[in-house]
Amino acid sequence: MFKEIKNKYLRYFSIFIYFVIIFFCALQINFLWLFGYSPSYTDIKKPSQRIGSELYTADGKLIGRYFKENRTPVNFNEISKSVVNALIATEDVRFYKHMGIDVQALGRAVVGLGKEGGASTITQQLAKNLYRTRYNKSSGLTKNIPLVRTLVSKLKEWMTAMKLESNYSKDDIITMYLNTVSFGNNTYGIKTASRIYFNKEASQLNVPQSALLVGMLKATTSYNPIKNPEKSLERRNVVLSQMNKYNYLSKEELTTYKNAPIGIEQGNDEESSENDSYLRAAVDKYLEKWCEDNNYNLYEDGLKIYTTIDSKLQKYAEEAVKDQMRILQRRFYSVWGNEDPWEDSERKKVDYPERAKKNLPIYALLQKKFPNQPDSIDAYFNKKKKMKIFSYKGDRDTLFSTMDSIRYYGKILNTGMMTLEPKSGKIKVWVGGIDHKFFKYDHVNQAKRQAGSTFKPFAYLAALESGMSPCDKFTDKPVRISYQDKGQTKYWEPKNADWSVSYQEMSLRWAMAKSVNTITAQVTEKVGWDNVVKWAHECGIDSHLESVPSVSLGPNDVSVYEMVKAYGTFLNEGNKTEPILVEKIKDQNDNLIEEFTAKTKRALSEEIAWLMLYMFRGGMEEPGGTSQALWSWDLFKKNNQIGGKTGTSSDYVDAWYMGITKDLVTGIWVGCDERTAHFKNGEQGEGSRTALPIFAKFMEKVYNDPNSGYTYGPFPKAKVEITRTYNCPTPRPRIDTVEADTTLLDTIDTDIPVFEPHEPIKTEPTKVDEKKVSETPVQKQEPAATAPLTRKEERELKRKQRKEQKEKEKTGGNN
């Protein structure tokens, strides 16, 4: 048909135009999958926002969403005119003259090979942002050819920009652009940016503020005014110069605005923060690698993520945490009154507020602005302003200075709690803190604190692995352990609670139950502290552990997550399980994309694991066991058994409780984020009086709910032959000398109910059969005299008997 055109130049030009049209048609329809997705006119008329993903509990309750478009869209008349002017002057000066492609800028870019700036218009940038024309999923087979890939992407942007121009007004395009663009710090849209950086609405932005935000668009990290204020200021002034160049500002205005301070006033985007939670953030981190490996975007691909979290258990845990932490906070305030709680290990006051002030990024900027003028800096930090603060009665509006805020939050106790079902590896409860809105730091897997006596079981595990049995005995006596430190011989002398010793022989089970420091130290010395570290790592502690003589008393920092994982190895018959937080992922149409199962690895023999559970039960069954405060709650029906370990670090800074039932392992940490803030003594701040009640209240709610799926019951019986002597009744001593639970001061003071051992001594290797074992004769020795009950013990016994009687009446005599 081109032969009919007589003029050869016109004919060649027509052929060229024809093939250009064919090429663009092929580009639009993605011919042979060469070019990838291009938005259709339907897509243009109904631009779909990126679809966020939804987060569900295991039982199908929606608990959160992930989305980048967490912004609140604005209309054109809600945007300050100075923002629009700054954007046009900087990004696309001929915006109101072209139809999506700036031919003049394009020619300049081609001739100058891009050295004099690019030619991308605002409309093209909107096309790229809105339809992700350069995203892998929008690319076809040509994406593997570098130059062709770039050319195809650019051509698709041109086509999309022209479609946008033909369907929307210029003001609409500007509005869509400012609603979709990123301003860093997970801040999307001009309205959110104005709130985050200047604590005002988009319509209230002045010229310097508008220029600063528009300047960020070139590189949101490099020109972030919070992280890089100096570069941000330089970039703002460049934008102001562009506004002057294109007559949006006079020279006088330019001079005035260039000298204006950066003026950042950080605010909160409450609309977007409501969706946040510790669990949501934890799942985001958990799926980070999976998304990268499988080319998914959690915030844009519309996934349905089903976690392993049980909504009922999560609710009970959050209720228990809130109830107990409110009590502990009142106790903390009562203990210190108007006195500052920040002290070092020698009980000397520490100026925490001053240190915290100097660690703030703004402090360095103020030092540059006010050199040798400390009064000016102090005036800034002491200036009162409106702010919303955390309280247990609900968020409270107040007038606080920065220093007031530092002092206030430096006295707040926080917590971390996690519950694991070791058999399946599923995490059932995740409580990262008291309030995610005010305390973003997750105390389950981000925070690492001294484990205190909750680390002692790894010493006793090392003892069992070395061939000892729960019945092997050590004497509570003064201990002096020598060790080498940088070629020098040094000595460590651990002390008990009251800095005295009883010279009493104790079985390993009793010593672990009472958390006796001197015996734990002897065990550690005998098995070697390197072996304690080794077995802690084998069970699931991933953090670096300093191998020192005191390692068993928990001086190393570990996370709640690690401790729960490690304790789960004992309940899971010696199999170390990597906990999973996500069970499955589906697409928008409920098609299964991925299922997750926990990975397991044999860490301990079944015999050792069962013996360790038996040791943990000692906390309830042995005289003076540190878990016996649990008797105060309704937890012991139907032969229920609970094992556990309290822990408190030096100076009562960190308090722990690790609780084990027949199905679950729960770990709880309580303390202030600022380590110099702590209780004054064990009566106020040890693990049995802070963290243990959270576990007790939580499990009481779980047991009292017949639909929770978790019931009372004894620990599993051993499935293998137990070859160690494990059941040795402990005489009840008249005097209990070890009554705290800290790195230096260990175990607790609590009422001790009378407790008869479940099983007699086992001395011969045999298959475990508790009925048979109960008939085995006890070792030939005179029975130890039992101390008379104290009045407290008598009251406790009567209270327990009354409870049992009431229970029998409720169930018709069958408990």
Side-chain angles (χ1 to χ4, degrees), residues 235-250:
R235 177 63 184 165
R236 182 202 71 177
N237 290 342
V238 169
V239 174
L240 290 172
S241 297
Q242 286 293 105
M243 294 178 73
N244 168 251
K245 178 180 178 180
Y246 294 107
N247 300 319
Y248 290 111
L249 293 179
S250 66

PDB file of all heavy atoms in Angstrom, residues 235-250:
ATOM      1  N   ARG A 235      19.127  21.616  50.228  1.00  0.00           N
ATOM      2  CA  ARG A 235      18.202  21.247  49.159  1.00  0.00           C
ATOM      3  C   ARG A 235      16.977  22.166  49.166  1.00  0.00           C
ATOM      4  O   ARG A 235      16.489  22.563  48.108  1.00  0.00           O
ATOM      5  CB  ARG A 235      17.776  19.792  49.335  1.00  0.00           C
ATOM      6  CG  ARG A 235      16.750  19.295  48.325  1.00  0.00           C
ATOM      7  CD  ARG A 235      17.276  19.329  46.909  1.00  0.00           C
ATOM      8  NE  ARG A 235      16.243  18.936  45.954  1.00  0.00           N
ATOM      9  CZ  ARG A 235      16.322  19.144  44.647  1.00  0.00           C
ATOM     10  NH1 ARG A 235      17.381  19.734  44.129  1.00  0.00           N
ATOM     11  NH2 ARG A 235      15.347  18.774  43.854  1.00  0.00           N
ATOM     12  N   ARG A 236      16.501  22.542  50.348  1.00  0.00           N
ATOM     13  CA  ARG A 236      15.364  23.467  50.431  1.00  0.00           C
ATOM     14  C   ARG A 236      15.695  24.780  49.743  1.00  0.00           C
ATOM     15  O   ARG A 236      14.884  25.349  48.992  1.00  0.00           O
ATOM     16  CB  ARG A 236      15.018  23.720  51.897  1.00  0.00           C
ATOM     17  CG  ARG A 236      13.824  24.636  52.088  1.00  0.00           C
ATOM     18  CD  ARG A 236      13.803  25.290  53.441  1.00  0.00           C
ATOM     19  NE  ARG A 236      14.864  26.300  53.569  1.00  0.00           N
ATOM     20  CZ  ARG A 236      15.036  27.073  54.651  1.00  0.00           C
ATOM     21  NH1 ARG A 236      14.230  26.915  55.697  1.00  0.00           N
ATOM     22  NH2 ARG A 236      16.005  27.968  54.690  1.00  0.00           N
ATOM     23  N   ASN A 237      16.914  25.265  49.992  1.00  0.00           N
ATOM     24  CA  ASN A 237      17.314  26.546  49.403  1.00  0.00           C
ATOM     25  C   ASN A 237      17.471  26.462  47.889  1.00  0.00           C
ATOM     26  O   ASN A 237      17.264  27.453  47.175  1.00  0.00           O
ATOM     27  CB  ASN A 237      18.608  27.035  50.060  1.00  0.00           C
ATOM     28  CG  ASN A 237      18.384  27.458  51.503  1.00  0.00           C
ATOM     29  OD1 ASN A 237      17.249  27.704  51.912  1.00  0.00           O
ATOM     30  ND2 ASN A 237      19.451  27.546  52.273  1.00  0.00           N
ATOM     31  N   VAL A 238      17.843  25.286  47.388  1.00  0.00           N
ATOM     32  CA  VAL A 238      17.881  25.079  45.940  1.00  0.00           C
ATOM     33  C   VAL A 238      16.474  25.218  45.357  1.00  0.00           C
ATOM     34  O   VAL A 238      16.263  25.851  44.321  1.00  0.00           O
ATOM     35  CB  VAL A 238      18.487  23.701  45.595  1.00  0.00           C
ATOM     36  CG1 VAL A 238      18.277  23.377  44.111  1.00  0.00           C
ATOM     37  CG2 VAL A 238      19.967  23.659  45.932  1.00  0.00           C
ATOM     38  N   VAL A 239      15.501  24.624  46.025  1.00  0.00           N
ATOM     39  CA  VAL A 239      14.105  24.705  45.573  1.00  0.00           C
ATOM     40  C   VAL A 239      13.631  26.150  45.616  1.00  0.00           C
ATOM     41  O   VAL A 239      12.951  26.637  44.688  1.00  0.00           O
ATOM     42  CB  VAL A 239      13.196  23.807  46.435  1.00  0.00           C
ATOM     43  CG1 VAL A 239      11.729  24.000  46.060  1.00  0.00           C
ATOM     44  CG2 VAL A 239      13.594  22.349  46.277  1.00  0.00           C
ATOM     45  N   LEU A 240      13.992  26.873  46.678  1.00  0.00           N
ATOM     46  CA  LEU A 240      13.608  28.286  46.770  1.00  0.00           C
ATOM     47  C   LEU A 240      14.214  29.080  45.618  1.00  0.00           C
ATOM     48  O   LEU A 240      13.558  29.974  45.051  1.00  0.00           O
ATOM     49  CB  LEU A 240      14.064  28.857  48.115  1.00  0.00           C
ATOM     50  CG  LEU A 240      13.321  28.342  49.356  1.00  0.00           C
ATOM     51  CD1 LEU A 240      14.004  28.827  50.623  1.00  0.00           C
ATOM     52  CD2 LEU A 240      11.861  28.786  49.331  1.00  0.00           C
ATOM     53  N   SER A 241      15.441  28.789  45.254  1.00  0.00           N
ATOM     54  CA  SER A 241      16.084  29.474  44.111  1.00  0.00           C
ATOM     55  C   SER A 241      15.346  29.179  42.815  1.00  0.00           C
ATOM     56  O   SER A 241      15.189  30.073  41.959  1.00  0.00           O
ATOM     57  CB  SER A 241      17.550  29.038  44.003  1.00  0.00           C
ATOM     58  OG  SER A 241      18.282  29.415  45.147  1.00  0.00           O
ATOM     59  N   GLN A 242      14.894  27.942  42.651  1.00  0.00           N
ATOM     60  CA  GLN A 242      14.118  27.584  41.459  1.00  0.00           C
ATOM     61  C   GLN A 242      12.797  28.352  41.431  1.00  0.00           C
ATOM     62  O   GLN A 242      12.356  28.805  40.365  1.00  0.00           O
ATOM     63  CB  GLN A 242      13.837  26.073  41.454  1.00  0.00           C
ATOM     64  CG  GLN A 242      15.036  25.201  41.121  1.00  0.00           C
ATOM     65  CD  GLN A 242      15.484  25.378  39.686  1.00  0.00           C
ATOM     66  OE1 GLN A 242      16.497  26.016  39.427  1.00  0.00           O
ATOM     67  NE2 GLN A 242      14.724  24.829  38.744  1.00  0.00           N
ATOM     68  N   MET A 243      12.184  28.522  42.579  1.00  0.00           N
ATOM     69  CA  MET A 243      10.926  29.271  42.646  1.00  0.00           C
ATOM     70  C   MET A 243      11.160  30.730  42.280  1.00  0.00           C
ATOM     71  O   MET A 243      10.323  31.358  41.617  1.00  0.00           O
ATOM     72  CB  MET A 243      10.325  29.162  44.046  1.00  0.00           C
ATOM     73  CG  MET A 243       9.872  27.749  44.412  1.00  0.00           C
ATOM     74  SD  MET A 243       9.217  27.618  46.090  1.00  0.00           S
ATOM     75  CE  MET A 243       7.633  28.460  45.902  1.00  0.00           C
ATOM     76  N   ASN A 244      12.306  31.272  42.674  1.00  0.00           N
ATOM     77  CA  ASN A 244      12.645  32.647  42.305  1.00  0.00           C
ATOM     78  C   ASN A 244      12.943  32.739  40.809  1.00  0.00           C
ATOM     79  O   ASN A 244      12.520  33.689  40.137  1.00  0.00           O
ATOM     80  CB  ASN A 244      13.857  33.103  43.125  1.00  0.00           C
ATOM     81  CG  ASN A 244      14.457  34.393  42.600  1.00  0.00           C
ATOM     82  OD1 ASN A 244      15.551  34.396  42.024  1.00  0.00           O
ATOM     83  ND2 ASN A 244      13.745  35.504  42.785  1.00  0.00           N
ATOM     84  N   LYS A 245      13.635  31.737  40.280  1.00  0.00           N
ATOM     85  CA  LYS A 245      14.015  31.731  38.862  1.00  0.00           C
ATOM     86  C   LYS A 245      12.785  31.765  37.969  1.00  0.00           C
ATOM     87  O   LYS A 245      12.788  32.427  36.911  1.00  0.00           O
ATOM     88  CB  LYS A 245      14.846  30.476  38.583  1.00  0.00           C
ATOM     89  CG  LYS A 245      15.274  30.327  37.134  1.00  0.00           C
ATOM     90  CD  LYS A 245      16.106  29.056  36.947  1.00  0.00           C
ATOM     91  CE  LYS A 245      16.507  28.882  35.488  1.00  0.00           C
ATOM     92  NZ  LYS A 245      17.314  27.636  35.292  1.00  0.00           N
ATOM     93  N   TYR A 246      11.719  31.080  38.389  1.00  0.00           N
ATOM     94  CA  TYR A 246      10.514  31.021  37.551  1.00  0.00           C
ATOM     95  C   TYR A 246       9.400  31.915  38.084  1.00  0.00           C
ATOM     96  O   TYR A 246       8.210  31.662  37.867  1.00  0.00           O
ATOM     97  CB  TYR A 246      10.049  29.575  37.432  1.00  0.00           C
ATOM     98  CG  TYR A 246      11.049  28.715  36.663  1.00  0.00           C
ATOM     99  CD1 TYR A 246      11.836  27.777  37.319  1.00  0.00           C
ATOM    100  CD2 TYR A 246      11.233  28.897  35.296  1.00  0.00           C
ATOM    101  CE1 TYR A 246      12.766  27.014  36.622  1.00  0.00           C
ATOM    102  CE2 TYR A 246      12.161  28.140  34.591  1.00  0.00           C
ATOM    103  CZ  TYR A 246      12.928  27.206  35.261  1.00  0.00           C
ATOM    104  OH  TYR A 246      13.858  26.463  34.573  1.00  0.00           O
ATOM    105  N   ASN A 247       9.817  32.953  38.816  1.00  0.00           N
ATOM    106  CA  ASN A 247       8.938  34.058  39.210  1.00  0.00           C
ATOM    107  C   ASN A 247       7.829  33.670  40.194  1.00  0.00           C
ATOM    108  O   ASN A 247       6.776  34.315  40.224  1.00  0.00           O
ATOM    109  CB  ASN A 247       8.330  34.717  37.965  1.00  0.00           C
ATOM    110  CG  ASN A 247       9.387  35.265  37.038  1.00  0.00           C
ATOM    111  OD1 ASN A 247      10.379  35.852  37.483  1.00  0.00           O
ATOM    112  ND2 ASN A 247       9.199  35.038  35.737  1.00  0.00           N
ATOM    113  N   TYR A 248       8.068  32.662  40.973  1.00  0.00           N
ATOM    114  CA  TYR A 248       7.122  32.354  42.046  1.00  0.00           C
ATOM    115  C   TYR A 248       7.500  33.083  43.336  1.00  0.00           C
ATOM    116  O   TYR A 248       6.694  33.186  44.252  1.00  0.00           O
ATOM    117  CB  TYR A 248       7.090  30.842  42.315  1.00  0.00           C
ATOM    118  CG  TYR A 248       6.456  30.050  41.206  1.00  0.00           C
ATOM    119  CD1 TYR A 248       7.222  29.204  40.400  1.00  0.00           C
ATOM    120  CD2 TYR A 248       5.090  30.138  40.952  1.00  0.00           C
ATOM    121  CE1 TYR A 248       6.651  28.473  39.365  1.00  0.00           C
ATOM    122  CE2 TYR A 248       4.506  29.410  39.923  1.00  0.00           C
ATOM    123  CZ  TYR A 248       5.294  28.570  39.134  1.00  0.00           C
ATOM    124  OH  TYR A 248       4.723  27.844  38.122  1.00  0.00           O
ATOM    125  N   LEU A 249       8.752  33.581  43.392  1.00  0.00           N
ATOM    126  CA  LEU A 249       9.212  34.350  44.547  1.00  0.00           C
ATOM    127  C   LEU A 249       9.998  35.559  44.060  1.00  0.00           C
ATOM    128  O   LEU A 249      10.703  35.488  43.031  1.00  0.00           O
ATOM    129  CB  LEU A 249      10.140  33.508  45.440  1.00  0.00           C
ATOM    130  CG  LEU A 249       9.567  32.321  46.196  1.00  0.00           C
ATOM    131  CD1 LEU A 249      10.688  31.625  46.982  1.00  0.00           C
ATOM    132  CD2 LEU A 249       8.452  32.744  47.132  1.00  0.00           C
ATOM    133  N   SER A 250       9.909  36.645  44.812  1.00  0.00           N
ATOM    134  CA  SER A 250      10.745  37.806  44.519  1.00  0.00           C
ATOM    135  C   SER A 250      12.123  37.617  45.136  1.00  0.00           C
ATOM    136  O   SER A 250      12.324  36.712  45.958  1.00  0.00           O
ATOM    137  CB  SER A 250      10.096  39.074  45.093  1.00  0.00           C
ATOM    138  OG  SER A 250      10.078  38.995  46.524  1.00  0.00           O
TER     139      SER A 250
END
